[in-house]
Amino acid sequence: MLKIGKYELSSRLLLGTGKYENTDIQKQAVEASASEVLTFAVRRTSLEDGAKDAFEGIDLNKFKLLPNTAGAKTAAEAVRTAKLAYAAGLCDMVKVEVIGCDRTLLPDPIETLKASEQLLDEGFTVLVYTSDDVVLARKLQELGVHAVMPAASPIGSGLGIINPYNLQQIVEQATVPIIVDAGLGSPADAAYAMELGADGVLMNSAVAKAGNPVLMAEAMKEAVEAGRKGFLAGRIEKVQYAQPSSPVEGVSPHS
């Protein structure tokens, strides 16, 4: 089980919403992914009737909704957005996202820390979108956030994991779940993130913008599961030279 604060999840794939061609494809992709957490941008969603307009055809009783503060550029904006979502009766879990660069959509580290601290004081379950900065990830953990969500690469880029060293360092120093967020493009990327020891992945564009989103959602589900099993199993050590697959000791040279 993946435990984030007081929430326990059997799926390690968190899925974004809102970029699909239509709501029917979104519904099918969500079902194929077996995800238990659906995230959405509060600023792009009507909060009336519990934001159900953004999830047409989906039984929200089966999911935990993860509002995110996309669009915020200051801590104050992020905190206000999170409170609006909570006041609308949504989950007390929130994904903090405070953008500091419009070109790369990388987060503002100072405002991200401020927003996270304020929301923790308010009693929220806080998941934080951040860059792959090892020190920033540690400082967020020291604040007491419930999960750190480093980007694999820029949001929506599909570039995959561009800095595996930093990501692995974040994972190895982790005291809370690490959810790789943003930039993944293929099942191979998802599996790699999990093999590096990530506790889960969150994606949107990689599924929603795929040629066949429903099939891609299923592929991502299987990739996350395979990557997790590979991490737990432990891969063989890499060596520089070939080693025979069959034993050679005690074998006659003429046999």
Side-chain angles (χ1 to χ4, degrees):
M1 299 291 287
L2 170 59
K3 188 170 175 31
I4 301 176
K6 62 185 178 184
Y7 299 98
E8 290 189 348
L9 309 168
S10 56
S11 171
R12 293 174 180 269
L13 172 60
L14 289 67
L15 202 63
T17 58
K19 290 187 175 182
Y20 294 85
E21 184 177 341
N22 58 59
T23 54
D24 184 54
I25 291 177
Q26 176 173 274
K27 176 178 180 294
Q28 292 180 58
V30 167
E31 291 173 351
S33 74
S35 177
E36 297 169 74
V37 175
L38 302 179
T39 185
F40 66 97
V42 174
R43 288 190 167 200
R44 301 185 184 97
T45 306
S46 170
L47 294 180
E48 294 182 10
D49 197 22
K52 290 182 179 178
D53 65 307
F55 305 101
E56 184 178 336
I58 298 175
D59 182 0
L60 296 184
N61 292 320
K62 297 179 180 179
F63 301 92
K64 295 175 178 63
L65 296 185
L66 177 60
N68 68 59
T69 65
K73 292 190 174 182
T74 66
E77 289 177 341
V79 170
R80 183 166 59 250
T81 301
K83 287 183 175 180
L84 284 172
Y86 183 69
L90 301 178
C91 184
D92 69 347
M93 209 166 37
V94 62
K95 176 187 168 187
V96 174
E97 193 171 316
V98 187
I99 299 302
C101 175
D102 290 333
R103 181 174 181 178
T104 63
L105 296 182
L106 286 170
D108 182 318
I110 297 173
E111 295 299 305
T112 295
L113 283 165
K114 287 180 182 177
S116 300
E117 185 171 23
Q118 291 177 45
L119 288 168
L120 286 168
D121 289 343
E122 295 278 353
F124 282 84
T125 299
V126 179
L127 297 77
V128 189
Y129 166 68
T130 179
S131 64
D132 59 7
D133 185 316
V134 178
V135 177
L136 178 57
R138 190 185 71 237
K139 288 185 177 296
L140 286 165
Q141 292 178 87
E142 291 170 352
L143 275 183
V145 303
H146 300 89
V148 174
M149 308 180 75
S153 52
I155 294 174
S157 68
L159 290 173
I161 300 171
I162 58 176
N163 196 339
Y165 174 80
N166 273 31
L167 181 56
Q168 190 159 30
Q169 287 301 312
I170 289 172
V171 167
E172 290 179 359
Q173 298 181 40
T175 57
V176 300
I178 303 300
I179 312 294
V180 175
D181 179 18
L184 299 180
S186 74
D189 297 335
Y192 187 27
M194 299 303 293
E195 286 178 23
L196 288 174
D199 296 283
V201 298
L202 187 153
M203 61 183 67
N204 189 354
S205 298
V207 173
K209 298 300 183 182
N212 185 331
V214 180
L215 187 59
M216 183 60 78
E218 183 179 356
M220 290 297 189
K221 166 184 171 289
E222 294 169 353
V224 169
E225 292 172 351
R228 178 64 178 175
K229 289 177 181 178
F231 170 72
L232 294 175
R235 63 161 292 140
I236 64 170
E237 181 182 355
K238 293 182 180 180
V239 295
Q240 295 298 314
Y241 304 100
Q243 297 185 23
S245 299
S246 301
V248 293
E249 292 184 4
V251 177
S252 168
H254 303 294
S255 61

